[in-house]
Amino acid sequence: MAKKKASKSRKKKVASKSRAKSARARKPARGASIEALARKIIRATSLPVFPLREFYADDAVSEEATGNVSRGIAGLEDKLKGWEQMQSGTKWKARNVWCRGNTICIEWDAEVTLRDGRTVPLREVGVHEIRGGKIAAERFYYNPMQLAPPPTT
């Protein structure tokens, strides 16, 4: 009789460990939420108005390739207004996306229609540091001369 109890007890432990393993396997990895956020950022670039508050921490810092730095939601809103005044439409295409730890890196190919009528290609890399599911800091790398007015002759 003692053997039967021990056997049942071992079976229960094995079954319990097996259920725990399968639950861990189903549970998304920590990085999966970063990847989901990256996909959400990419989708949001095609929206008529980018929902800043949905993606950025209140104290977020954004640094452009020009050296301009925007701080906080108000600074980001000003930066977005400046972008909207400079261009009349941009088609963004994510070329590559990397996610690791708390960082999302997106390589973009864009076609920017500027208010002066020119349409220019823009290749950009954005590095986004995530805190609490939102962008806390970001840096953009691109050639600012692509967006500059043409030289006067």
Side-chain angles (χ1 to χ4, degrees):
M1 187 96 144
K3 284 186 177 184
K4 284 185 180 179
K5 282 186 180 180
S7 175
K8 281 184 179 179
S9 175
R10 272 184 260 160
K11 284 181 183 176
K12 283 182 181 179
K13 282 183 184 178
V14 170
S16 175
K17 284 183 182 179
S18 176
R19 281 191 299 272
K21 271 187 180 179
S22 64
R24 278 194 301 267
R26 285 189 307 254
K27 185 178 175 185
R30 184 176 163 275
S33 61
I34 292 289
E35 290 166 356
L37 180 58
R39 286 189 299 273
K40 209 169 158 184
I41 290 168
I42 292 165
R43 281 192 306 271
T45 61
S46 64
L47 297 174
V49 177
F50 190 84
L52 283 172
R53 293 182 185 276
E54 182 180 335
F55 289 99
Y56 288 89
D58 290 340
D59 60 347
V61 176
S62 179
E63 185 178 342
E64 289 293 323
T66 59
N68 293 342
V69 178
S70 302
R71 297 180 191 285
I73 295 295
L76 290 166
E77 288 172 339
D78 287 345
K79 176 178 127 170
L80 185 58
K81 283 179 193 170
W83 173 251
E84 289 170 353
Q85 290 171 355
M86 183 178 73
Q87 53 86 40
S88 60
T90 301
K91 294 176 187 170
W92 295 98
K93 183 178 187 311
R95 174 182 273 242
N96 287 296
V97 181
W98 300 273
C99 300
R100 184 155 189 193
N102 68 336
T103 304
I104 297 169
C105 183
I106 305 173
E107 179 184 17
W108 295 99
D109 281 336
E111 188 176 280
V112 182
T113 303
L114 298 167
R115 296 272 179 198
D116 64 11
R118 292 178 299 139
T119 298
V120 297
L122 177 68
R123 293 190 72 184
E124 174 184 78
V125 175
V127 180
H128 310 278
E129 296 173 32
I130 309 304
R131 182 183 70 227
K134 292 192 173 191
I135 299 168
E138 65 185 4
R139 299 175 306 283
F140 293 102
Y141 301 94
Y142 58 91
N143 179 356
M145 294 307 294
Q146 290 177 284
L147 301 172
T152 55
T153 55

